[in-house]
Amino acid sequence: MDGFYPDTENLIRFIECDRELIEAEAPDVVVIDMRLPSMPAAELAGVPVVTISHFLPTTGYTSLTSRQRKLGMLRHPLYVAGRIGSILDRDPFRARVLSERFAEARRRLGLPPREGLPMTGACTAFTTTPFLDPPARPFPDGWHYAGPVTWSVSGGEPPPEHGDRPLVFTSQGTLGARSAIKEVVRSLSGLDAEIAVVTMGAVDHG
């Protein structure tokens, strides 16, 4: 995530661009899904915000500590071998560096101080459940479980039907990796099952 906002000046440009868009559209509320500059932009525009969060562990309300999560990874040695650097890194996603940049950007833009990254707000919907991500303590007022995000495409078509064979659904989330998708599809190609792969445009469908 550090690469998206390499310095404070770049981050302020993102915030100002989002602010201009919000003021031009004049919405009653801004719904933010992981676009971090939009939070201070909406504050500057004076528009209330609803944030969507997919990661309870980033909030400090998770019931699992960072140490417990890392110990749990030991059950998957191949995964650990490929991620050993980031696992040992105390700040693998450069959250502390980004927090400092956001703090400086807020100061320059005349906004009040705020700790951490703007990933949650006064009103936050978590796309998970208490069963999957039990909280360590009660949520603040305005924080709610919204449940997992289900099938959603333009036009509202239902999911494609499949036959009697097992269905394997593969998704890498937002960013994806071209090499990983190809390897997954190659590995599953001999399986007697129907394979549904979300490519996010990372590979040619052919």
Side-chain angles (χ1 to χ4, degrees):
M1 193 176 288
D2 182 35
F4 290 114
Y5 318 111
D7 52 55
T8 304
E9 288 71 23
N10 181 280
L11 175 57
I12 289 176
R13 285 195 293 272
F14 271 95
I15 295 172
E16 293 288 9
C17 286
D18 283 9
R19 176 187 184 179
E20 291 177 8
L21 179 61
I22 293 169
E23 291 178 340
E25 296 295 330
D28 295 315
V29 63
V30 176
V31 180
I32 301 173
D33 181 3
M34 293 298 295
R35 184 171 175 84
L36 304 187
S38 295
M39 177 78 78
E43 287 184 67
L44 290 168
V47 180
V49 167
V50 174
T51 54
I52 298 175
S53 178
H54 311 282
F55 313 106
L56 190 62
T58 64
T59 66
Y61 281 79
T62 182
S63 58
L64 291 177
T65 65
S66 176
R67 177 181 174 83
Q68 287 173 318
R69 291 197 302 273
K70 290 181 178 180
L71 287 175
M73 292 179 186
L74 296 178
R75 293 177 295 176
H76 309 283
L78 293 179
Y79 175 85
V80 172
R83 298 283 303 275
I84 190 67
S86 62
I87 291 172
L88 296 177
D89 192 337
R90 291 182 177 272
D91 191 21
F93 300 108
R94 301 297 179 262
R96 281 192 284 270
V97 173
L98 280 174
S99 295
E100 292 172 0
R101 287 178 192 157
F102 269 92
E104 175 62 15
R106 293 181 67 87
R107 186 189 66 79
R108 294 192 196 179
L109 293 168
L111 290 170
R114 172 193 168 118
E115 291 186 8
L117 293 173
M119 300 184 71
T120 57
C123 184
T124 300
F126 291 93
T127 58
T128 182
T129 68
F131 174 76
L132 296 173
D133 283 305
R137 57 189 188 278
F139 280 167
D141 292 340
W143 285 24
H144 304 280
Y145 285 103
V149 176
T150 55
W151 176 268
S152 177
V153 295
S154 58
E157 297 89 347
E161 296 184 2
H162 63 91
D164 297 329
R165 294 187 301 169
L167 174 64
V168 179
F169 176 77
T170 302
S171 172
Q172 294 191 92
T174 304
L175 301 179
R178 187 184 303 269
S179 59
I181 290 179
K182 290 183 176 181
E183 183 60 33
V184 168
V185 172
R186 188 181 300 112
S187 300
L188 295 174
S189 61
L191 189 66
D192 184 21
E194 296 184 38
I195 314 298
V197 181
V198 178
T199 66
M200 297 295 291
V203 296
D204 184 353
H205 293 178

